Amino acid sequence: MSEGSPHLVVGGVSKRYGPTTVLDHIDLTIRRGELVTLLGPSGCGKTTLLRAIAGLAQPDTGKVELAGRDITNVPPHKRNVGVVFQSYALFPHLTVAGNVAFGLKVRGMARREIDIAVERALSLVKLGHLAGRRISALSGGQQQRVALARAIAVEPDVLLFDEALSALDRKLREEMQVELRRLLQEVKATAIFVTHDQDEALTMSDRVAVMNKGRIEQLAEPRELYLRPASLFALNFVGLSTRISGTVLSADNGKVHVETKVGRLSALGSFQAGSPVIVAARPEQLRIGGGGETNSASGRVRSVVFQGSRTLVEVDAGAGESLLAELSGRDGAIPDVHDEIRLSWPVTETFAFPMEAQA
Amino acid sequence: MTRAAIIVCWVMAIGLALFLIAPLLVIAAASFSPTPVFDLPLTGASTRWYGKIGRLDGFWPSLLLSLEIALFSTAISLVCGTLAAIAIARGKLPGANVFATALVSPLMMPGLVLGIALLQGFRAVGFTAPWATLLVAHLVITLPYVARTMISGLARFDFTLIEAARTLGCTYPGSVLRVMVPALAPSFLIAGIFSFLASFDNYPVSIFLADVRTKTLPIRMLQYIEEAPDPTLAALSTLILAGTVILLFVSDRVVGLHRMAGTSD
């Protein structure tokens, strides 16, 4: 199959557990070789969607196609998927090599071929020297790699990662994110990650699906997801932002003018006059000073947090509203706490979302 | 802890161990007694009582019966007890805890009460075949050992392993056989040994269900003591003891005795 054509197609998949709708008509198409993350809070349905793809959860409606084959009613052992579980789920009675060989043995591969495949998979994850070890003698990071090698060894049509990095400590996790992405691109794997960690999602994926309440709120490349969030939920879940509530005064060609407690602001979007909305902007768009055709608001600096390459400044704009600006040292003066400052930001980088979406 | 306290603890521990082991040493010594009446100090050693074991009246049928009942009840308990334990540990049954307690309750019941109850119960439904009643009664005795061991074994078992095996190409039954059974092998061994021993040396339940032709080994042994108390019985006891020690030693090599005692996992 050529690159770019649909490799995994999830069509109208729904799943209910009793009165709870866990998946609500999910549509998702993934190309061959693509790395996609399902990002969302716990209970958003991301793990259930992964399990539906793996065949471990049967959807109530909809279909799943993998590598041109309808696998909706195919049991997991015939799907040719590779899963890396959160707990790693390594077999304690087998050695490292035994774990990696498991799927190949089940497939009835010849012993010589198994040995070659195991060695190759273990060298990919740089664990060749530990082949004979018992699982209990490995560190968490090493176990993670064995789980990965075991899933890769069977050359699955899609690799599924269920919070696979969440058990590692922060530093190791960040290293693994970069290494895993490089490794998956090297073997040209198609992979789906499930995570609640936005950094992991932005680092690892070609596209991110933000999930909420059993639906995909936005499916976009990491950059687009950050710069053009499609919903208030997506805005909140990925990155920081300033959010101010207000009421739409008027609208003209793709822009709305909103009356807020900190003054009149303009934003991208189309709403009817009188609609309650939330106006939002990313912190790096805010600059000290006012001017021309920009949004601006003023207030007293509440806190200044130095974070190395950037400094986060929170401003109390009065009436319970606050502004969040990210200033880099090069822009000049960083204000002090209690300074009265004015911040401005471009209208083209200001979003408006319907108020009720927050509920 | 202070030094003195540690010494006191050690003295207590060694004293208790001696108290538990000493009678066993006495019976072993008695089995080598050269005279029919056991007397300390020993004036010599003889193995003639061991030769007399096989000639005891009704010994072989009783040994065979006890082995049969112990093996069959252990085998059936392992299957049923494991399935029940899976249901308790895994299925979200309402009242799973009540069911688990009920399953293990014969452990806490006096054997005498259990024996009378089973006898009356079997009579009431017209179930009187001695071999079969003994087997069913011993199932009641052995099932709690298996269920208890398997419930705690399964509590530590990560069922994601089965899912992992399935995604790697195993059918569901295949995953259970290739992953769950080997991972739980120590639990099976422990459950099997406890169950076998509990059945093999049971007296208070068996006595109510045995008849003249169907007597288990412990019943037969008590009968020998009443009839002719010579060191032959000591010899037999020593052999049983040796068999048990070998069984425990082998399992210690395989899984570790600390797991059998339940002091750690």
Side-chain angles (χ1 to χ4, degrees):
Chain A
M1 201 183 296
S2 69
E3 209 144 308
S5 59
H7 182 64
L8 174 72
V9 180
V10 174
V13 163
S14 295
K15 177 78 184 170
R16 295 172 68 90
Y17 287 120
T20 328
T21 302
V22 188
L23 294 177
D24 189 2
H25 286 89
I26 296 277
D27 291 306
L28 178 65
T29 301
I30 294 173
R31 294 184 297 272
R32 194 175 185 78
E34 204 175 14
L35 309 179
V36 173
T37 295
L38 307 178
L39 175 69
S42 61
C44 72
K46 56 191 192 297
T47 292
T48 306
L49 179 55
L50 197 81
R51 293 174 61 82
I53 295 168
L56 298 169
Q58 185 66 30
D60 299 333
T61 62
K63 65 175 172 59
V64 182
E65 284 172 18
L66 179 60
R69 186 164 69 115
D70 185 345
I71 57 166
T72 314
N73 295 308
V74 173
H77 64 277
K78 289 183 181 159
R79 287 198 176 196
N80 200 30
V81 296
V83 187
V84 179
F85 293 91
Q86 185 171 16
S87 65
Y88 311 142
L90 297 173
F91 306 130
H93 60 291
L94 298 175
T95 60
V96 168
N99 267 275
V100 178
F102 188 90
L104 305 170
K105 276 195 183 140
V106 172
R107 282 163 168 75
M109 199 187 262
R111 210 189 151 73
R112 261 186 57 80
E113 289 174 51
I114 291 179
D115 290 346
I116 295 167
V118 167
E119 205 183 309
R120 193 175 146 262
L122 281 177
S123 73
L124 266 176
V125 298
K126 298 177 187 141
L127 281 185
H129 57 297
L130 296 180
R133 284 276 184 95
R134 292 203 73 82
I135 295 304
S136 54
L138 301 182
S139 71
Q142 289 168 335
Q143 292 191 12
Q144 214 272 333
R145 285 160 190 265
V146 177
L148 177 62
R150 182 177 70 178
I152 287 180
V154 299
E155 295 179 8
D157 288 320
V158 64
L159 270 167
L160 308 170
F161 295 82
D162 185 9
E163 303 266 8
L165 299 178
S166 64
L168 303 178
D169 64 60
R170 189 189 168 90
K171 189 167 154 48
L172 192 57
R173 190 165 67 227
E174 286 173 359
E175 285 170 16
M176 269 309 279
Q177 286 169 9
V178 177
E179 190 184 329
L180 188 55
R181 179 170 169 83
R182 185 189 50 72
L183 191 152
L184 292 174
Q185 286 172 334
E186 194 179 307
V187 299
K188 296 191 168 57
T190 310
I192 302 178
F193 308 98
V194 155
T195 185
H196 58 267
D197 180 342
Q198 51 157 308
D199 294 329
E200 193 175 313
L202 298 180
T203 310
M204 309 259 299
S205 358
D206 299 322
R207 283 193 298 163
V208 179
V210 177
M211 290 188 67
N212 182 31
K213 293 178 191 156
R215 279 175 290 116
I216 293 179
E217 294 244 344
Q218 186 171 11
L219 175 62
E221 290 171 17
R223 173 175 294 273
E224 189 191 338
L225 181 67
Y226 183 81
L227 295 176
R228 291 283 175 267
S231 69
L232 192 60
F233 181 84
L235 171 94
N236 283 342
F237 207 80
V238 178
L240 299 167
S241 56
T242 290
R243 296 178 298 277
I244 298 163
S245 58
T247 309
V248 174
L249 288 174
S250 62
D252 60 72
N253 50 37
K255 282 183 194 164
V256 287
H257 305 289
V258 182
E259 185 65 47
T260 74
K261 287 173 183 161
V262 300
R264 193 169 295 185
L265 301 175
S266 298
L268 301 175
S270 50
F271 292 92
Q272 289 195 336
S275 312
V277 292
I278 303 266
V279 176
R282 293 297 188 188
E284 68 276 11
Q285 301 296 342
L286 275 63
R287 290 283 173 273
I288 294 178
E293 292 294 295
T294 62
N295 286 318
S296 71
S298 59
R300 184 185 292 270
V301 175
R302 189 186 288 150
S303 68
V304 177
V305 180
F306 176 69
Q307 292 186 329
S309 61
R310 64 182 193 178
T311 302
L312 282 177
V313 178
E314 197 192 354
V315 174
D316 180 359
E321 303 287 3
S322 63
L323 309 170
L324 186 68
E326 177 190 318
L327 306 174
S328 76
R330 280 179 305 213
D331 296 342
I334 300 289
D336 291 321
V337 176
H338 302 314
D339 282 358
E340 285 282 348
I341 60 169
R342 172 160 282 273
L343 290 166
S344 64
W345 63 98
V347 173
T348 51
E349 296 297 338
T350 309
F351 325 115
F353 300 106
M355 182 88 84
E356 62 270 14
Q358 200 165 30
Chain B
M1 255 198 294
T2 66
R3 202 179 160 74
I6 292 171
I7 291 170
V8 169
C9 286
W10 269 109
V11 169
M12 292 288 281
I14 293 167
L16 268 173
L18 280 178
F19 177 72
L20 290 172
I21 291 171
L24 303 179
L25 295 178
V26 169
I27 198 112
S31 73
F32 294 106
S33 166
T35 55
V37 179
F38 175 59
D39 221 354
L40 277 175
L42 288 173
T43 50
S46 160
T47 54
R48 63 175 166 135
W49 306 114
Y50 286 86
K52 283 186 74 178
I53 294 173
R55 275 172 277 145
L56 284 169
D57 176 40
F59 168 74
W60 292 111
S62 288
L63 177 65
L64 197 66
L65 176 68
S66 275
L67 287 176
E68 277 173 8
I69 298 286
L71 284 174
F72 276 110
S73 64
T74 297
I76 298 171
S77 287
L78 277 177
V79 175
C80 298
T82 304
L83 294 178
I86 291 175
I88 289 165
R90 207 36 193 164
K92 287 139 198 148
L93 303 171
N97 280 331
V98 178
F99 184 59
T101 310
L103 202 59
V104 179
S105 66
L107 273 181
M108 299 162 240
M109 194 114 51
L112 220 55
V113 176
L114 203 59
I116 295 176
L118 285 168
L119 178 66
Q120 296 275 354
F122 289 158
R123 283 248 178 95
V125 297
F127 179 43
T128 54
W131 197 91
T133 50
L134 268 177
L135 179 64
V136 174
H138 278 234
L139 280 178
V140 176
I141 298 162
T142 55
L143 204 54
Y145 287 96
V146 174
R148 191 180 61 173
T149 312
M150 295 317 294
I151 287 170
S152 75
L154 281 166
R156 285 191 300 265
F157 179 74
D158 179 7
F159 278 85
T160 316
L161 293 186
I162 289 185
E163 296 189 335
R166 293 177 73 197
T167 59
L168 286 166
C170 260
T171 60
Y172 191 87
S175 307
V176 170
L177 280 179
R178 297 185 78 137
V179 173
M180 192 163 146
V181 170
L184 289 177
S187 297
F188 282 120
L189 187 66
I190 292 163
I193 288 173
F194 273 118
S195 161
F196 182 88
L197 292 178
S199 165
F200 189 75
D201 85 350
N202 180 273
Y203 180 83
V205 174
S206 303
I207 187 69
F208 288 99
L209 302 164
D211 67 6
V212 184
R213 264 178 249 99
T214 319
K215 282 187 180 167
T216 60
L217 194 58
I219 298 175
R220 192 68 83 180
M221 284 170 76
L222 213 73
Q223 179 195 324
Y224 296 150
I225 276 217
E226 285 163 5
E227 288 167 0
D230 69 17
T232 312
L233 210 55
L236 176 53
S237 301
T238 307
L239 282 185
I240 294 175
L241 188 63
T244 310
V245 167
I246 290 169
L247 198 60
L248 291 179
F249 182 76
V250 170
S251 4
D252 181 39
R253 295 280 90 174
V254 180
V255 293
L257 266 186
H258 58 284
R259 287 187 67 162
M260 304 184 64
T263 47
S264 90
D265 55 277

